[in-house]
Amino acid sequence: MEPNKFRKSRLSINRLCEQMDQLIEDKEVDESRVCFDQAFGELDELRPKASGDIQERSVKNLAMKLKGMEDRISKLKTKGTASSGSGSRMKNNIEWDIDRVAQLSKVFLEKVLENMAGDPGSKVLFGTTGKGIRPNYQIEFKDGKMASFTGSGHKPKAGTKDQGAKNLSAPFPFQDIDAILNNPGDI
């Protein structure tokens, strides 16, 4: 590539890196990602045009610089998340729907179904806090009785039956859980 054109492209990418550095310092996650994408796009255009050792080395150095920026961006917290121990931790409310339930592990759902005691009139309500990997859950049986279980060990939880009721999903009937496990195409 003609040296002056290459220099202009290289300087443009370096300006974007300086801008990105400032955005990272200001903890602007989304804006720094947009800037990174733009710089990476320019580098992708420049890479095949580089000719000679100096230009190729320059492209390689820019790529390493962008990789370092990408690592710094990945360490930024998105707005609304608090770092651990900050005291202002936001609650993540999980929205449970049948697709989300189907993403739970097969072993987890088998234990849920087992705790539903083969009662086709029972329903399960999943906890809406936490990460949604092994949520606590509550089973409402056909006869109106309720039982709460821990998500990690599927052990019955002690306490009143309404405890934590505000942090529960809409009910999912026995048939839905059974269909996820035994007929995944029917969901």
Side-chain angles (χ1 to χ4, degrees):
M1 177 177 206
E2 199 267 308
N4 284 336
K5 286 183 180 180
F6 183 84
R7 184 174 183 275
K8 281 183 184 179
S9 294
R10 184 178 53 81
L11 289 175
S12 172
I13 294 169
N14 276 323
R15 275 191 297 275
L16 286 169
C17 286
E18 289 170 13
Q19 182 181 348
M20 205 181 326
D21 188 48
Q22 186 59 49
L23 289 169
I24 292 169
E25 290 297 316
D26 295 342
K27 298 185 181 346
E28 298 291 340
V29 180
D30 295 331
E31 291 85 351
S32 57
R33 286 183 181 144
V34 167
C35 192
F36 173 82
D37 290 342
Q38 184 179 354
F40 196 77
E42 286 188 26
L43 181 63
D44 271 353
E45 286 180 31
L46 183 62
R47 188 169 299 176
K49 297 176 185 173
S51 59
D53 286 345
I54 293 173
Q55 289 183 4
E56 288 172 5
R57 196 174 14 205
S58 183
V59 166
K60 198 178 278 189
N61 288 340
L62 285 170
M64 288 188 338
K65 189 175 195 176
L66 284 176
K67 174 68 176 134
M69 293 287 190
E70 183 180 32
D71 290 344
R72 288 179 60 204
I73 292 169
S74 71
K75 292 177 184 169
L76 290 177
K77 300 278 185 207
T78 56
K79 286 185 174 125
T81 61
S83 60
S84 67
S86 70
S88 63
R89 188 161 275 232
M90 291 183 61
K91 258 188 183 172
N92 294 332
N93 285 334
I94 300 166
E95 296 290 328
W96 288 102
D97 59 18
I98 196 69
D99 293 329
R100 179 87 188 238
V101 173
Q103 292 175 2
L104 292 168
S105 79
K106 183 177 180 183
V107 171
F108 180 86
L109 289 173
E110 285 170 348
K111 296 276 189 183
V112 170
L113 202 60
E114 186 179 306
N115 281 333
M116 293 175 95
D119 179 356
S122 63
K123 302 172 194 159
V124 62
L125 299 88
F126 294 102
T128 59
T129 58
K131 295 181 181 178
I133 298 169
R134 292 186 307 256
N136 292 339
Y137 57 96
Q138 185 171 309
I139 297 174
E140 184 179 318
F141 295 96
K142 183 171 57 178
D143 62 7
K145 290 183 181 174
M146 298 182 96
S148 295
F149 296 88
T150 63
S152 57
H154 301 274
K155 303 287 183 223
K157 288 171 61 176
T160 64
K161 70 176 185 179
D162 292 333
Q163 185 179 14
K166 65 182 181 287
N167 293 327
L168 294 172
S169 70
F172 294 92
F174 177 91
Q175 291 79 7
D176 285 356
I177 307 302
D178 187 51
I180 291 169
L181 284 170
N182 299 313
N183 306 314
D186 294 348
I187 308 171

